[in-house]
Amino acid sequence: MVRALTEARGGTAALLWSRRTFAWLTLGGLNHVAIGTETGAAPLLVTGRDVVAISPNIEAGRLATEELAGLPIEAVAVPWWEPEAISSEAVRRAGGPLLTDADLEDGLVPVRSRLGDIEQDRMVAIGAAVATALDGALRAVADGTTESELVALLEARLAGFRTPVLLSAADERIERFRHPLPTGAPIRRRVMLVVVAERWGLHVAATRFRELVPPAAPLAATIEATRRVEAAIHGATRPGATLGEAFDAARAAYAAEGVPDEWKLHHQGGTIGYQGRERIAVPGDPTRIEPGMAFAWNPSITGAKAEDTFVLDASGARRLVTVAPIEPQRVSNDRFERP
């Protein structure tokens, strides 16, 4: 796919720096050092002949041993002290026009978003771990636990996972902010906890609440209304439809609940996989929904939110992954073994 797309766009080779593309093409490999970067330290060079990871000599040994072992991809070391060493080596090997992630990304997203069997099994394993961790962290909340302490409780339960998004809001902050970074505010009545967790390059998203005090009738009604909006958008997520059509179902559901403009206060989510969102849906979005895609919709009405991750299996059925398993879920460290 990468070779065909590169050739179609006039290139002889592609130098792919992004962490998401590296993980996708290596079935879960990691090429980063700093966790906050979108690009890795060692890009993949895809030519018509071979695929190599061009790496600063600092990283080459680990990449070859831990990320590329068993794959037909060589780690090529270049001097770390030469700023242009990777680019120069790529140009030399390409022997012609060299494309980058930016040149190919719009063509790669649709392919990368259709997850294979192993990737779907991994999403299930990640989702089970996320659901279990969320439930455990929220059960540990006591009156006065702070938002930041709650996030720490969650992170401790997700050892071995990366958490690019961690949000928490207590009490009135839930109504005020859709993306609440955790603070030292104490939890008194209720709390929202949001996470995007990543392993093998794959992402799973979920939001959970804990009500320390039974919600008053207006809030309880808002919570139920949000769940009905979620049900509507989930029901509209079916093969052959578009993200725009699913989005329309959400807007219609908001209107039916008497809050037609709430969707404007926060994005509604979309496809998920090798990014926290591969594509965030917008009105009229023509993206075709296909089996193998994963979705994390996150409708919200002020004071309430619903968010889970599911995969469309080969039959088009929704396979919810953010659910705690009855039996403990084993998460393998072997990238080539099913979880």
Side-chain angles (χ1 to χ4, degrees), residues 124-210:
V124 170
I126 299 166
V130 165
T132 301
L134 283 166
D135 292 347
L138 287 169
R139 280 197 304 270
V141 169
D143 182 23
T145 301
T146 69
E147 296 168 352
S148 294
E149 288 169 343
L150 173 57
V151 164
L153 290 171
L154 177 61
E155 286 192 284
R157 287 166 167 77
L158 285 172
F161 294 80
R162 285 158 291 282
T163 49
V165 177
L166 284 167
L167 304 174
S168 183
D171 304 318
E172 68 279 355
R173 289 190 77 230
I174 298 173
E175 296 186 2
R176 293 181 64 195
F177 308 117
R178 288 310 209 263
H179 286 160
L181 296 180
T183 71
I187 300 163
R188 300 301 184 192
R189 294 175 289 105
R190 62 192 306 248
V191 66
M192 177 178 73
L193 185 57
V194 182
V195 64
V196 176
E198 177 262 318
R199 190 166 186 176
W200 299 296
L202 292 164
H203 296 71
V204 161
T207 296
R208 296 290 185 270
F209 287 78
R210 180 170 175 195

Side-chain angles (χ1 to χ4, degrees), residues 15 17 40-41 43 54-57 78-90:
L15 188 63
W17 285 88
I54 305 177
S55 169
N57 60 296
V78 297
W80 69 262
W81 60 91
E82 294 181 8
E84 302 301 321
I86 290 177
S87 297
S88 297
E89 180 66 13

Side-chain angles (χ1 to χ4, degrees), residues 69-113:
L71 296 174
I73 301 175
E74 178 189 0
V76 175
V78 297
W80 69 262
W81 60 91
E82 294 181 8
E84 302 301 321
I86 290 177
S87 297
S88 297
E89 180 66 13
V91 168
R92 185 186 71 80
R93 287 174 173 264
L98 181 62
L99 304 186
T100 67
D101 302 75
D103 300 313
L104 303 178
E105 180 67 4
D106 65 316
L108 295 178
V109 169
V111 182
R112 194 174 62 222
S113 296

Side-chain angles (χ1 to χ4, degrees), residues 271-289:
T271 58
I272 191 170
Y274 285 97
Q275 296 187 86
R277 293 295 189 277
E278 289 281 9
R279 186 171 181 87
I280 292 176
V282 295
D285 194 322
T287 303
R288 189 69 54 183
I289 295 171

Side-chain angles (χ1 to χ4, degrees), residues 251-284:
R251 286 202 293 184
Y254 279 115
E257 299 296 340
V259 287
D261 293 327
E262 281 283 330
W263 68 269
K264 297 178 181 179
L265 302 179
H266 189 213
H267 74 76
Q268 302 301 296
T271 58
I272 191 170
Y274 285 97
Q275 296 187 86
R277 293 295 189 277
E278 289 281 9
R279 186 171 181 87
I280 292 176
V282 295

